[in-house]
Coordinates of all heavy atoms in Angstrom, one line a residue:
L571 N -3.0 25.0 -49.3 CA -2.9 23.9 -48.3 C -1.9 22.9 -48.8 O -1.8 22.5 -50.0 CB -4.2 23.2 -48.2 CG -5.4 24.0 -47.6 CD1 -6.7 23.3 -47.7 CD2 -5.1 24.5 -46.2
S572 N -1.0 22.4 -47.9 CA 0.0 21.4 -48.2 C -0.7 20.1 -48.5 O -1.7 19.8 -47.9 CB 1.0 21.3 -47.1 OG 1.8 22.4 -46.9
F573 N -0.1 19.3 -49.4 CA -0.6 18.0 -49.7 C -0.1 17.1 -48.5 O 1.1 16.9 -48.3 CB -0.1 17.4 -51.0 CG -0.6 18.2 -52.2 CD1 0.3 19.0 -53.0 CD2 -1.9 18.2 -52.6 CE1 -0.2 19.7 -54.1 CE2 -2.4 18.9 -53.7 CZ -1.5 19.6 -54.4
V574 N -1.1 16.5 -47.8 CA -0.8 15.4 -46.8 C -0.5 14.1 -47.5 O 0.3 13.3 -47.1 CB -1.9 15.3 -45.8 CG1 -1.6 14.2 -44.8 CG2 -2.2 16.6 -45.1
S575 N -1.1 13.9 -48.6 CA -0.9 12.7 -49.4 C 0.4 12.7 -50.1 O 1.0 13.7 -50.4 CB -2.0 12.6 -50.5 OG -2.1 13.8 -51.2
H576 N 1.0 11.5 -50.3 CA 2.2 11.3 -51.0 C 1.9 11.3 -52.5 O 0.8 10.8 -52.9 CB 2.9 10.0 -50.6 CG 4.2 9.8 -51.2 ND1 4.4 9.1 -52.4 CD2 5.5 10.1 -50.8 CE1 5.7 9.1 -52.7 NE2 6.4 9.7 -51.7
P577 N 2.8 11.7 -53.4 CA 2.5 11.7 -54.8 C 2.1 10.4 -55.4 O 1.5 10.3 -56.4 CB 3.9 12.2 -55.4 CG 4.5 13.1 -54.3 CD 4.1 12.4 -53.0
D578 N 2.6 9.3 -54.7 CA 2.2 7.9 -55.2 C 0.8 7.6 -55.0 O 0.3 6.6 -55.6 CB 3.1 6.9 -54.6 CG 4.6 7.0 -55.1 OD1 4.8 7.7 -56.1 OD2 5.5 6.4 -54.4
E579 N 0.1 8.3 -54.0 CA -1.3 7.9 -53.7 C -2.2 8.3 -54.8 O -2.0 9.3 -55.5 CB -1.7 8.6 -52.4 CG -0.9 8.2 -51.2 CD -1.3 8.9 -49.9 OE1 -2.5 9.2 -49.7 OE2 -0.4 9.2 -49.1
P580 N -3.3 7.6 -55.0 CA -4.3 7.8 -56.1 C -5.3 8.9 -55.8 O -6.2 9.1 -56.5 CB -5.0 6.5 -56.2 CG -5.0 5.9 -54.8 CD -3.7 6.3 -54.2
Y581 N -5.1 9.6 -54.7 CA -6.0 10.7 -54.3 C -5.3 11.8 -53.6 O -4.1 11.7 -53.3 CB -7.1 10.2 -53.4 CG -6.7 9.1 -52.4 CD1 -5.9 9.5 -51.3 CD2 -7.1 7.8 -52.6 CE1 -5.5 8.5 -50.4 CE2 -6.6 6.8 -51.7 CZ -5.8 7.2 -50.6 OH -5.4 6.2 -49.7
L582 N -5.9 13.0 -53.4 CA -5.3 14.1 -52.7 C -5.9 14.2 -51.3 O -7.1 14.1 -51.1 CB -5.6 15.4 -53.5 CG -5.2 15.5 -55.0 CD1 -5.6 16.8 -55.6 CD2 -3.7 15.3 -55.1
R583 N -5.0 14.4 -50.4 CA -5.4 14.6 -49.0 C -4.9 16.0 -48.5 O -3.8 16.4 -48.7 CB -4.9 13.5 -48.1 CG -5.6 12.2 -48.3 CD -5.2 11.2 -47.3 NE -3.8 10.7 -47.5 CZ -2.9 10.6 -46.5 NH1 -3.3 10.9 -45.2 NH2 -1.7 10.2 -46.7
F584 N -5.8 16.7 -47.8 CA -5.4 18.0 -47.1 C -5.9 17.8 -45.7 O -6.8 17.1 -45.4 CB -6.2 19.2 -47.7 CG -5.9 19.3 -49.2 CD1 -6.8 18.9 -50.1 CD2 -4.8 20.0 -49.7 CE1 -6.6 19.0 -51.5 CE2 -4.5 20.2 -51.0 CZ -5.5 19.7 -51.9
A585 N -5.3 18.6 -44.8 CA -5.7 18.6 -43.4 C -5.6 20.0 -42.9 O -4.7 20.8 -43.2 CB -4.9 17.7 -42.5
L586 N -6.5 20.4 -42.0 CA -6.5 21.8 -41.4 C -7.2 21.8 -40.0 O -8.0 20.9 -39.7 CB -7.1 22.8 -42.3 CG -8.4 22.5 -43.0 CD1 -9.6 22.7 -42.1 CD2 -8.5 23.4 -44.2
R587 N -6.8 22.8 -39.2 CA -7.4 23.0 -38.0 C -8.7 23.8 -38.2 O -8.6 24.8 -39.0 CB -6.5 23.8 -37.0 CG -5.3 22.9 -36.5 CD -5.6 22.4 -35.2 NE -4.6 21.3 -34.8 CZ -3.5 21.5 -34.2 NH1 -3.1 22.7 -33.8 NH2 -2.7 20.4 -33.9
L588 N -9.7 23.5 -37.5 CA -11.0 24.2 -37.7 C -11.0 25.5 -36.9 O -10.2 25.7 -36.0 CB -12.2 23.4 -37.2 CG -12.4 22.0 -38.0 CD1 -13.6 21.4 -37.5 CD2 -12.4 22.2 -39.5
S589 N -11.8 26.5 -37.4 CA -11.9 27.8 -36.7 C -13.3 28.3 -37.1 O -14.1 27.6 -37.8 CB -10.8 28.7 -37.1 OG -11.0 29.1 -38.5
D590 N -13.6 29.5 -36.8 CA -14.9 30.1 -37.1 C -14.8 30.8 -38.5 O -15.8 31.5 -38.9 CB -15.3 31.2 -36.1 CG -15.7 30.5 -34.8 OD1 -16.1 29.4 -34.8 OD2 -15.5 31.2 -33.7
S591 N -13.7 30.7 -39.2 CA -13.6 31.3 -40.5 C -14.6 30.7 -41.5 O -15.0 29.6 -41.4 CB -12.2 31.1 -41.1 OG -12.1 29.9 -41.7
S592 N -15.1 31.6 -42.3 CA -16.2 31.2 -43.3 C -15.7 30.1 -44.2 O -16.4 29.1 -44.6 CB -16.6 32.4 -44.1 OG -17.2 33.3 -43.3
Y593 N -14.4 30.1 -44.6 CA -13.8 29.1 -45.5 C -13.9 27.7 -44.8 O -14.4 26.7 -45.4 CB -12.4 29.4 -45.8 CG -11.7 28.4 -46.7 CD1 -11.8 28.5 -48.1 CD2 -11.0 27.3 -46.2 CE1 -11.2 27.5 -48.9 CE2 -10.4 26.4 -47.0 CZ -10.5 26.5 -48.3 OH -9.9 25.5 -49.1
K594 N -13.4 27.6 -43.6 CA -13.4 26.3 -42.9 C -14.8 25.8 -42.6 O -15.1 24.6 -42.6 CB -12.5 26.4 -41.7 CG -11.0 26.7 -42.0 CD -10.2 26.8 -40.8 CE -8.7 27.0 -41.2 NZ -7.8 27.2 -40.0
R595 N -15.7 26.7 -42.2 CA -17.0 26.3 -42.0 C -17.7 25.8 -43.3 O -18.4 24.8 -43.2 CB -17.9 27.5 -41.4 CG -17.5 27.9 -40.0 CD -18.0 29.3 -39.6 NE -19.5 29.3 -39.7 CZ -20.2 30.4 -39.9 NH1 -19.6 31.6 -40.1 NH2 -21.5 30.3 -39.9
S596 N -17.4 26.5 -44.4 CA -17.9 26.0 -45.7 C -17.4 24.7 -46.1 O -18.1 23.8 -46.6 CB -17.6 27.1 -46.7 OG -18.3 28.3 -46.5
L597 N -16.1 24.5 -45.8 CA -15.4 23.2 -46.1 C -16.0 22.1 -45.3 O -16.3 21.0 -45.8 CB -13.9 23.3 -45.9 CG -13.1 22.1 -46.2 CD1 -13.2 21.8 -47.7 CD2 -11.6 22.4 -45.9
M598 N -16.3 22.3 -44.0 CA -16.9 21.3 -43.2 C -18.3 21.0 -43.6 O -18.8 19.9 -43.4 CB -16.8 21.8 -41.7 CG -15.5 21.5 -41.0 SD -15.0 19.8 -40.9 CE -16.3 19.1 -39.9
A599 N -19.0 22.0 -44.2 CA -20.4 21.8 -44.6 C -20.5 20.9 -45.9 O -21.6 20.5 -46.2 CB -21.0 23.1 -44.8
L600 N -19.4 20.7 -46.6 CA -19.5 19.9 -47.8 C -19.9 18.5 -47.5 O -19.4 17.8 -46.6 CB -18.1 19.9 -48.5 CG -17.6 21.3 -49.0 CD1 -16.3 21.1 -49.8 CD2 -18.6 21.9 -50.0
S601 N -20.7 17.9 -48.5 CA -21.0 16.5 -48.4 C -20.2 15.7 -49.4 O -19.5 16.3 -50.3 CB -22.5 16.3 -48.8 OG -23.4 17.1 -48.0
E602 N -20.1 14.4 -49.2 CA -19.3 13.6 -50.1 C -19.8 13.7 -51.5 O -21.1 13.8 -51.7 CB -19.4 12.1 -49.6 CG -18.7 11.8 -48.3 CD -18.8 10.3 -48.0 OE1 -19.2 9.5 -48.8 OE2 -18.3 10.0 -46.9
G603 N -18.9 13.9 -52.4 CA -19.3 14.1 -53.8 C -19.3 15.5 -54.2 O -19.4 15.9 -55.4
A604 N -19.2 16.4 -53.2 CA -19.2 17.9 -53.5 C -17.9 18.2 -54.4 O -16.8 17.7 -54.2 CB -19.2 18.7 -52.2
K605 N -18.1 19.1 -55.3 CA -17.0 19.5 -56.2 C -16.3 20.7 -55.7 O -16.9 21.7 -55.2 CB -17.6 19.8 -57.6 CG -18.0 18.5 -58.4 CD -18.6 18.9 -59.8 CE -18.8 17.6 -60.6 NZ -19.7 16.6 -60.0
C606 N -15.0 20.7 -55.8 CA -14.1 21.8 -55.5 C -13.1 22.0 -56.7 O -13.2 21.2 -57.7 CB -13.4 21.6 -54.2 SG -14.4 21.5 -52.7
K607 N -12.2 22.9 -56.6 CA -11.1 23.0 -57.6 C -9.8 23.0 -56.9 O -9.7 23.5 -55.8 CB -11.3 24.2 -58.4 CG -12.5 24.2 -59.3 CD -12.6 25.5 -60.2 CE -13.9 25.5 -61.0 NZ -13.9 26.7 -61.9
C608 N -8.8 22.4 -57.5 CA -7.4 22.4 -57.0 C -6.5 22.9 -58.0 O -6.4 22.4 -59.2 CB -7.1 21.0 -56.5 SG -5.4 20.9 -55.8
Y609 N -5.7 23.9 -57.7 CA -4.6 24.4 -58.6 C -3.3 24.1 -58.0 O -3.1 24.3 -56.8 CB -4.8 25.9 -58.8 CG -6.2 26.3 -59.3 CD1 -7.2 26.8 -58.4 CD2 -6.6 26.1 -60.6 CE1 -8.4 27.1 -58.8 CE2 -7.9 26.4 -61.0 CZ -8.8 26.9 -60.1 OH -10.1 27.2 -60.6
G610 N -2.3 23.8 -58.9 CA -1.0 23.5 -58.4 C -0.4 22.4 -59.3 O -0.9 22.1 -60.3
P611 N 0.8 21.9 -58.8 CA 1.4 22.2 -57.5 C 2.2 23.5 -57.4 O 2.6 24.0 -58.5 CB 2.3 21.0 -57.3 CG 2.7 20.6 -58.7 CD 1.5 20.9 -59.6
I612 N 2.4 24.0 -56.2 CA 3.1 25.2 -56.0 C 4.1 25.0 -54.9 O 3.9 24.2 -54.0 CB 2.2 26.4 -55.7 CG1 1.1 26.5 -56.8 CG2 2.9 27.7 -55.4 CD1 0.0 27.5 -56.4
G613 N 5.2 25.7 -54.9 CA 6.2 25.7 -53.8 C 7.4 24.8 -54.1 O 7.4 23.8 -54.8
D614 N 8.5 25.2 -53.4 CA 9.8 24.5 -53.6 C 10.3 23.9 -52.3 O 11.4 23.5 -52.1 CB 10.9 25.5 -54.1 CG 11.1 26.6 -53.2 OD1 10.4 26.8 -52.2 OD2 12.1 27.4 -53.5
F615 N 9.3 23.7 -51.3 CA 9.7 23.1 -50.0 C 9.6 21.6 -50.3 O 8.7 20.9 -49.9 CB 8.7 23.6 -49.0 CG 9.1 23.0 -47.6 CD1 10.2 23.4 -46.9 CD2 8.2 22.2 -46.9 CE1 10.5 23.0 -45.7 CE2 8.5 21.7 -45.7 CZ 9.7 22.1 -45.0
T616 N 10.6 21.0 -50.9 CA 10.6 19.6 -51.3 C 11.8 18.9 -50.8 O 12.7 19.5 -50.2 CB 10.6 19.5 -52.9 OG1 11.8 20.2 -53.4 CG2 9.4 20.2 -53.5
N617 N 11.8 17.6 -51.0 CA 12.9 16.8 -50.5 C 14.3 17.3 -50.9 O 15.2 17.2 -50.1 CB 12.7 15.3 -51.0 CG 13.4 14.3 -50.1 OD1 13.5 14.4 -48.9 ND2 14.1 13.4 -50.8
Q618 N 14.4 17.7 -52.1 CA 15.7 18.2 -52.6 C 16.3 19.4 -51.8 O 17.5 19.6 -51.8 CB 15.6 18.5 -54.1 CG 15.3 17.4 -55.0 CD 13.8 17.2 -55.2 OE1 13.0 17.5 -54.4 NE2 13.5 16.7 -56.4
K619 N 15.4 20.1 -51.2 CA 15.8 21.4 -50.6 C 16.6 21.1 -49.3 O 17.5 21.9 -49.0 CB 14.6 22.2 -50.2 CG 14.9 23.6 -49.8 CD 13.7 24.5 -49.8 CE 14.0 25.9 -49.5 NZ 12.8 26.8 -49.5
F620 N 16.3 20.0 -48.6 CA 17.0 19.8 -47.4 C 17.8 18.5 -47.3 O 18.5 18.2 -46.3 CB 16.1 19.9 -46.2 CG 14.9 19.0 -46.3 CD1 14.9 17.7 -46.0 CD2 13.7 19.6 -46.7 CE1 13.8 16.9 -46.1 CE2 12.5 18.8 -46.8 CZ 12.6 17.4 -46.5
T621 N 17.8 17.7 -48.4 CA 18.6 16.5 -48.5 C 20.1 16.9 -48.7 O 20.4 17.6 -49.6 CB 18.1 15.6 -49.6 OG1 16.8 15.2 -49.4 CG2 19.0 14.4 -49.7
Q622 N 20.9 16.3 -47.9 CA 22.4 16.5 -48.0 C 23.0 15.2 -47.7 O 22.8 14.6 -46.6 CB 22.9 17.6 -47.2 CG 24.4 17.9 -47.4 CD 24.8 19.2 -46.7 OE1 24.1 20.2 -46.7 NE2 25.9 19.2 -46.1
K623 N 23.9 14.7 -48.5 CA 24.5 13.4 -48.3 C 25.3 13.4 -47.0 O 25.9 14.4 -46.6 CB 25.5 13.1 -49.4 CG 26.0 11.7 -49.4 CD 26.9 11.5 -50.6 CE 27.4 10.0 -50.7 NZ 28.3 9.8 -51.8
D624 N 25.1 12.3 -46.2 CA 25.8 12.1 -45.0 C 25.3 13.0 -43.8 O 26.0 13.1 -42.8 CB 27.3 12.4 -45.1 CG 28.0 11.4 -46.2 OD1 27.5 10.3 -46.3 OD2 28.9 11.9 -46.8
K625 N 24.2 13.6 -44.0 CA 23.6 14.4 -42.9 C 22.2 13.9 -42.7 O 21.4 13.7 -43.6 CB 23.6 15.9 -43.2 CG 24.9 16.5 -43.0 CD 24.8 18.0 -42.8 CE 26.1 18.6 -42.4 NZ 26.1 20.1 -42.0
G626 N 21.8 13.8 -41.4 CA 20.5 13.5 -41.0 C 19.6 14.7 -41.0 O 20.0 15.8 -41.3
I627 N 18.3 14.4 -40.7 CA 17.3 15.5 -40.8 C 16.5 15.6 -39.5 O 16.1 14.6 -38.9 CB 16.3 15.3 -41.9 CG1 17.0 15.2 -43.3 CG2 15.2 16.4 -41.9 CD1 16.0 14.8 -44.4
V628 N 16.4 16.8 -39.0 CA 15.5 17.1 -37.8 C 14.4 18.0 -38.3 O 14.6 19.1 -38.7 CB 16.3 17.7 -36.7 CG1 15.4 18.0 -35.5 CG2 17.5 16.9 -36.2
F629 N 13.2 17.5 -38.2 CA 12.0 18.3 -38.5 C 11.5 18.9 -37.1 O 11.2 18.2 -36.2 CB 10.8 17.5 -39.0 CG 11.1 17.0 -40.4 CD1 11.4 15.7 -40.7 CD2 11.0 17.9 -41.5 CE1 11.6 15.2 -42.0 CE2 11.2 17.4 -42.8 CZ 11.6 16.1 -43.0
I630 N 11.4 20.2 -37.1 CA 10.9 20.9 -35.9 C 9.6 21.6 -36.3 O 9.6 22.5 -37.2 CB 11.9 22.0 -35.4 CG1 13.3 21.3 -35.1 CG2 11.4 22.7 -34.2 CD1 14.3 22.3 -34.6
V631 N 8.5 21.1 -35.8 CA 7.2 21.4 -36.4 C 6.2 21.9 -35.3 O 6.2 21.4 -34.2 CB 6.6 20.2 -37.1 CG1 5.3 20.6 -37.8 CG2 7.6 19.7 -38.1
S632 N 5.4 22.8 -35.7 CA 4.3 23.3 -34.7 C 3.0 23.1 -35.4 O 2.7 23.4 -36.5 CB 4.5 24.8 -34.4 OG 3.4 25.3 -33.7

Side-chain angles (χ1 to χ4, degrees):
L571 299 173
S572 295
F573 295 112
V574 178
S575 50
H576 185 272
D578 291 344
E579 295 179 36
Y581 36 72
L582 301 177
R583 290 187 288 135
F584 304 98
L586 45 79
R587 289 264 165 92
L588 299 185
S589 70
D590 289 333
S591 79
S592 296
Y593 178 88
K594 293 179 181 180
R595 290 166 61 205
S596 297
L597 185 58
M598 278 300 294
L600 295 180
S601 303
E602 291 183 8
K605 288 181 169 57
C606 296
K607 293 184 181 182
C608 179
Y609 305 102
I612 302 172
D614 62 355
F615 185 67
T616 59
N617 198 42
Q618 294 91 328
K619 192 167 186 176
F620 51 82
T621 297
Q622 184 171 319
K623 191 176 181 181
D624 301 327
K625 282 202 173 186
I627 300 171
V628 178
F629 290 106
I630 302 177
V631 185
S632 171

